[in-house]
Amino acid sequence: MDHTPQPDPTAARTLARLRAGELQGCTRLDLRGGGLTELPAEVLMLADTLEVLDVSGNALSSLPDGLARLTRLHTLFASSNRFTALPPVLGRLPVLDTMGFKANQIAEVPAAALAPTLRWLILTDNRIAALPSTLTDCSRMQKLMLAGNRLTRLPAGIDRLQRLELLRLSANAFERAEHALTDELLALPQLAWLAHAGNPFSAAREQAAQATTTVAPIAWRELRLQALLGEGASGHIHAAQWQPADGPAQDVAVKLFKGAVTSDGLPACEIAATLRAGRHPHLVGVLGALADHPDGTQGLVLPRLAPQWKPLAGPPSMVSCSRDVYSADLHLSVAQATSVARAATEALDHLHACGLAHGDLYAHNLLVDGEGRALLSDLGAASLLPEDDPQRSAALQALDRRALEILLDEVALHCDVAPSPEVITGSNTHDSSDTRPA
């Protein structure tokens, strides 16, 4: 049986125009879902102009050597294809900046396949057991997405990635914490966002945390889904009505996870972290984990927020890479900035007290209501702190604090009068021993 995907109509039209020579001189080419089993030769005819190429959602398993002729190509997406090895030709692209091969079947990453110019690399949800030492030659690397693989160790020399800011190591095969959370890694000067849940070294503690939760599961039959409220990388959030067996109906939000592995890690780990964090005045909170979905879909039942609650910023863009994108017209009074920053600080303090690192403390995960109130959301990258290793636990908390400092600096930039971090929080955020507001 032929399992080649059927072409998306839009991609089919683009492909027809490409083959007719109508796209000469273009800088961006989108062939997502085009039913491709090989890269069209006409793509190579765009060597002098093409900068962004997206061939995700096809049936590709190789790329031609001629791809190296695309000397202006800086962004390449080839997720959800059939690659079993990362093509070595990728390492010869002279200005390659961003590359995504998520959800393939990649087991091998040849040393030659990693261009030293890479700044953002996405290899989530593959079968990679080892990475070549050439990864550490990528001195520009800021964002490295490796969740959902079979890694047991990081390559030697990881300390050479001095610009690395975000790293996802969740759902791999690290047997020992020191194999993933190495001293060299935790000492990187820019690292602020790190996820590592769902590995063998933390499995027992994660299972124990799930077993000790006091939050009862919520049966699918008690929920009535309504409108879609939003969609993120890991799942869809729906409005819903919950009719518990022993109480009145209430409006809720239901997060349904899209698949077995998210960009941050495993849905089960996010569920466990969310339940462990429980309720707090500055967390969105949780009502329960979803149970008995007819398709086995995992999910969370959350409080329904009023419509005025919005993210403080948008998520990072292709240009900003690891930095959130704020609205140009965002202006906060000092009182609003103070309230928002104190909420973020107190929420993070609570998570650390619960034995959790957030791992994704960003303004796009901070919901605000326009009056200065704020709620921290999304524990998809949260990880248990190693209780038996105080030094490593302190280092992980310090990464969260670095992310908090970045957030506070960004908030200050949008104040009418930019106060110092100490004024915003009422405390010294640079002192990791006491970061609670006064």
Side-chain angles (χ1 to χ4, degrees), residues 217-277:
I218 296 176
W220 174 254
R221 64 179 179 276
E222 297 179 353
L223 298 166
R224 296 292 179 269
L225 254 59
Q226 299 167 344
L228 181 68
L229 296 176
E231 178 181 0
S234 63
H236 299 89
I237 299 180
H238 296 263
Q241 186 175 70
W242 175 32
Q243 177 60 70
D246 56 354
Q250 54 184 290
D251 292 333
V252 298
V254 177
K255 179 173 183 177
L256 297 177
F257 290 96
K258 292 179 180 178
V261 178
T262 74
S263 58
D264 293 325
L266 301 175
C269 292
E270 177 175 346
I271 292 170
T274 304
L275 294 176
R276 185 181 180 98

Side-chain angles (χ1 to χ4, degrees), residues 98-331:
T98 301
M99 184 170 75
F101 277 73
K102 178 181 178 181
N104 278 273
Q105 302 160 37
I106 297 172
E108 181 185 1
V109 180
L114 298 178
T117 54
L118 282 169
R119 183 175 61 123
W120 186 348
L121 176 60
I122 306 165
L123 295 174
T124 307
D125 193 12
N126 279 289
R127 303 172 181 177
I128 302 166
L131 291 166
S133 61
T134 50
L135 175 67
T136 67
D137 294 333
C138 302
S139 59
R140 299 178 67 246
M141 189 72 72
Q142 288 178 241
K143 201 166 182 178
L144 184 55
M145 316 287 284
L146 301 172
N149 280 286
R150 300 174 183 178
L151 296 171
T152 59
R153 291 179 182 269
L154 294 174
I158 200 72
D159 56 314
R160 296 176 62 195
L161 301 183
Q162 291 286 297
R163 298 185 184 181
L164 187 64
E165 297 180 340
L166 184 147
L167 176 63
R168 297 294 182 243
L169 296 176
S170 301
N172 273 282
F174 294 102
E175 293 285 348
R176 299 172 61 87
E178 55 267 32
H179 294 164
L181 310 175
T182 66
D183 293 340
E184 293 79 9
L185 176 69
L186 296 179
L188 288 175
Q190 304 299 323
L191 187 62
W193 300 281
L194 173 65
H196 57 84
N199 278 287
F201 71 80
S202 57
R205 290 186 296 112
E206 289 165 354
Q207 291 169 4
Q210 293 179 48
T212 57
T213 181
T214 59
V215 181
I218 296 176
W220 174 254
R221 64 179 179 276
E222 297 179 353
L223 298 166
R224 296 292 179 269
L225 254 59
Q226 299 167 344
L228 181 68
L229 296 176
E231 178 181 0
S234 63
H236 299 89
I237 299 180
H238 296 263
Q241 186 175 70
W242 175 32
Q243 177 60 70
D246 56 354
Q250 54 184 290
D251 292 333
V252 298
V254 177
K255 179 173 183 177
L256 297 177
F257 290 96
K258 292 179 180 178
V261 178
T262 74
S263 58
D264 293 325
L266 301 175
C269 292
E270 177 175 346
I271 292 170
T274 304
L275 294 176
R276 185 181 180 98
R279 305 301 294 268
H280 182 271
H282 299 306
L283 290 179
V284 169
V286 63
L287 300 174
L290 179 64
D292 304 324
H293 189 283
D295 298 325
T297 301
Q298 299 181 81
L300 285 165
V301 181
L302 311 168
R304 174 103 64 91
L305 299 181
Q308 70 263 26
W309 289 92
K310 304 291 184 183
L312 180 60
S317 68
M318 296 310 303
V319 174
S320 68
C321 186
S322 59
R323 290 292 189 273
D324 275 340
V325 178
Y326 289 78
S327 172
D329 59 1
L330 176 64
H331 298 289

Side-chain angles (χ1 to χ4, degrees), residues 22-45:
E22 298 176 7
L23 300 182
Q24 284 299 314
C26 76
T27 60
R28 295 172 173 265
L29 182 60
D30 186 347
L31 295 173
R32 286 176 295 174
L36 302 174
T37 57
E38 60 182 19
L39 191 71
E42 292 82 1
V43 172
L44 306 184
M45 303 302 291

